[in-house]
Amino acid sequence: MTDRTRVTRSPDRQRTDRAELYRILDDALVAHVAIVRDGLPLVLPMGFGRGGDAIYLHGSTGSGIFRMMASGSPISVTVTHLDGLVYARSLFDSSMNYRSAVVFGTATIVADPAEKAEAMRIVSDHLMPGRTAEVRPMTKRELAATLVLRLPLDEVSVKVRAHGASEEPDDGEDRAVWAGVLPLRLTALAPETSPLTAPGTPVSAAATAYAARIAGAADAAAAAARAEPAVAAPMP
Amino acid sequence: MTDRTRVTRSPDRQRTDRAELYRILDDALVAHVAIVRDGLPLVLPMGFGRGGDAIYLHGSTGSGIFRMMASGSPISVTVTHLDGLVYARSLFDSSMNYRSAVVFGTATIVADPAEKAEAMRIVSDHLMPGRTAEVRPMTKRELAATLVLRLPLDEVSVKVRAHGASEEPDDGEDRAVWAGVLPLRLTALAPETSPLTAPGTPVSAAATAYAARIAGAADAAAAAARAEPAVAAPMP
């Protein structure tokens, strides 16, 4: 842990478990990438993938921010899951449940053709698991137009809040005010088929599996929630 | 529009409609805030609110990054909605539907007590609509411990992708490969009541209304999707 990765606000929320870091990254599709441009901060959303102890970003060779990253500008990459709204009995103690990972470092270009192909597979499998097997391979021209960057997971800060509303038996708050958590989850709606898809073509198994995967995560969370009483039991 | 807010990648995705900017901000709970610290970029997730042509951020007076922002460090604040995965017939043309707003500027402290109270109401109503009426007012001590910052919506860049998979009748791709969009939405699960809530206390109307609001948005999107054929009609 470095000064930069040590959590100073709510240090009890810091996590150092590597598996938790991987899970936060693997469950996310979009990262927010910050860079310093002309001395000023800029943060943009980007798709990404994780392979081993690195994050991979892919973009167009024509993208200015990608070229800046490729030339060694330091970056900060943050992934956040908003897991719930936490309704305390005061606005002051109200909060959010979340999981976030902040990565610091400098990205390098993945230039070796075999490593680049593998890195692009990692990003594709991350953003659209299973899709690689359903579509044609990338062409040489497409590969050449894509810049792939690698950011090692060396300097990382993980912060998690995953519990109920703050309350203590002697906090003096009004128990007749409901307190609790409203869990939030990303879910998929029905797939929308493109006009030029051949009649009778089944929906992509990759898309269907992804929808089921995130629905499963939501169902599991809902089942855990149902195991708690909807209305509070008498105080012990 | 300035050089900084002009979209250079996929300029067709740039939006300049003020109402669309407001909607993107108002539908979001978390922003990613970037700052330059010791010459290096740092990006962190934060709750926020919008009132008129400004974003309000509130944090602890003990937070280092809040004190840096308050002392005039330039910031970049980005809000992103991931609205869907776009499955094209090639990985290269695959994409995401999203709406994002990037705000640049320098925040100022909201010091005037009446303005500060109003700004805090804006943030509370943004993050937990209706909750202010359900809980006690903030105490003087709580108000004093909270730093409220205002960032004007002067320099803003909005980018939206909201359409189907890229395809052209003469693109040479295989029509037997399904292409389309898997729409994604944030939804709420059942509320989880805290252990110390008095027995029989109904769930917060604010929480219930928020869950219904985002479910309504998802339902509306699902209904729009059902209006399209699940399997493509013959090509015209």
Side-chain angles (χ1 to χ4, degrees):
Chain A
M1 195 178 296
T2 66
D3 277 355
R4 186 150 77 147
T5 59
R6 186 172 296 110
V7 169
T8 50
R9 297 303 306 165
S10 308
D12 55 300
R13 296 182 188 170
Q14 179 142 33
R15 298 288 183 278
T16 54
D17 177 15
R18 208 70 183 169
E20 184 138 31
L21 165 66
Y22 293 160
R23 206 159 42 235
I24 289 170
L25 297 175
D26 295 352
D27 285 352
L29 297 168
V30 169
H32 280 79
V33 180
I35 196 166
V36 181
R37 188 176 61 178
D38 301 331
L40 299 171
L42 167 67
V43 51
L44 293 176
M46 295 187 189
F48 75 100
R50 180 191 69 86
D53 280 307
I55 277 179
Y56 294 92
L57 300 162
H58 67 177
S60 164
T61 51
S63 156
I65 189 170
F66 256 82
R67 286 199 304 258
M68 281 185 67
M69 292 196 289
S71 66
S73 278
I75 59 177
S76 171
V77 177
T78 297
V79 167
T80 305
H81 298 275
L82 176 59
D83 291 332
L85 291 174
V86 182
Y87 292 76
R89 291 185 184 87
S90 67
L91 297 173
F92 190 75
D93 283 324
S94 293
S95 187
M96 292 177 180
N97 278 340
Y98 64 91
R99 291 164 291 147
S100 72
V102 183
V103 186
F104 302 96
T106 302
T108 51
I109 300 177
V110 181
D112 176 80
E115 284 178 29
K116 183 175 178 179
E118 170 63 8
M120 292 183 70
R121 189 198 58 73
I122 286 170
V123 176
S124 293
D125 281 357
H126 185 109
L127 296 176
M128 293 186 169
R131 185 60 168 170
T132 309
E134 298 179 346
V135 295
R136 63 165 174 77
M138 290 186 81
T139 65
K140 278 186 181 159
R141 203 172 56 85
E142 289 171 345
L143 279 165
T146 307
L147 197 55
V148 180
L149 300 177
R150 180 181 191 277
L151 176 68
L153 295 173
D154 289 341
E155 211 174 341
V156 179
S157 180
V158 174
K159 212 170 162 182
V160 174
R161 190 198 190 279
H163 54 92
S166 301
E167 58 183 6
E168 297 293 336
D170 59 353
D171 62 14
E173 301 290 354
D174 182 357
R175 304 283 169 237
V177 173
W178 184 87
V181 175
L182 185 68
L184 300 173
R185 293 293 179 277
L186 194 69
T187 53
L189 306 183
E192 302 162 7
T193 299
S194 83
L196 297 187
T197 295
T201 303
V203 170
S204 154
T208 306
Y210 186 76
R213 172 178 142 193
I214 61 175
D219 286 347
R226 278 192 302 271
E228 297 187 24
V231 166
M235 279 176 60
Chain B
M1 195 178 300
T2 66
D3 278 353
R4 185 149 77 148
T5 60
R6 185 170 297 111
V7 170
T8 50
R9 296 302 307 166
S10 307
D12 55 301
R13 297 182 186 169
Q14 178 142 35
R15 298 288 183 277
T16 54
D17 177 15
R18 208 73 182 166
E20 183 138 34
L21 166 65
Y22 293 162
R23 205 157 44 235
I24 289 169
L25 296 175
D26 294 353
D27 285 351
L29 297 167
V30 170
H32 280 80
V33 180
I35 196 165
V36 181
R37 187 176 62 177
D38 302 331
L40 300 171
L42 167 67
V43 51
L44 293 176
M46 294 187 189
F48 74 99
R50 180 190 68 87
D53 281 306
I55 277 179
Y56 294 92
L57 300 162
H58 68 177
S60 164
T61 50
S63 156
I65 190 170
F66 256 81
R67 286 200 304 257
M68 281 184 67
M69 292 196 290
S71 66
S73 278
I75 59 176
S76 171
V77 177
T78 297
V79 167
T80 305
H81 298 276
L82 176 59
D83 290 332
L85 291 174
V86 182
Y87 292 75
R89 292 186 184 86
S90 66
L91 297 174
F92 191 76
D93 282 325
S94 293
S95 187
M96 293 178 178
N97 277 340
Y98 64 93
R99 292 165 291 145
S100 71
V102 183
V103 187
F104 302 96
T106 302
T108 51
I109 300 176
V110 181
D112 176 82
E115 285 178 30
K116 184 175 178 180
E118 171 64 7
M120 292 183 70
R121 188 198 59 73
I122 286 169
V123 177
S124 293
D125 280 356
H126 185 108
L127 297 177
M128 295 187 169
R131 185 62 169 169
T132 309
E134 297 179 346
V135 295
R136 63 167 174 77
M138 288 185 84
T139 65
K140 278 187 182 159
R141 202 172 56 86
E142 290 171 345
L143 279 164
T146 307
L147 197 57
V148 181
L149 301 177
R150 179 182 192 278
L151 176 68
L153 294 173
D154 289 342
E155 211 176 339
V156 180
S157 180
V158 174
K159 212 170 162 183
V160 174
R161 191 199 190 279
H163 55 92
S166 301
E167 57 183 7
E168 297 293 337
D170 60 353
D171 62 14
E173 302 289 354
D174 181 358
R175 304 283 168 238
V177 174
W178 184 87
V181 175
L182 185 68
L184 300 174
R185 293 292 179 276
L186 194 69
T187 54
L189 307 183
E192 302 162 5
T193 299
S194 82
L196 298 186
T197 295
T201 303
V203 169
S204 154
T208 305
Y210 186 75
R213 172 177 143 195
I214 61 175
D219 286 347
R226 278 191 301 271
E228 297 188 24
V231 167
M235 282 175 59

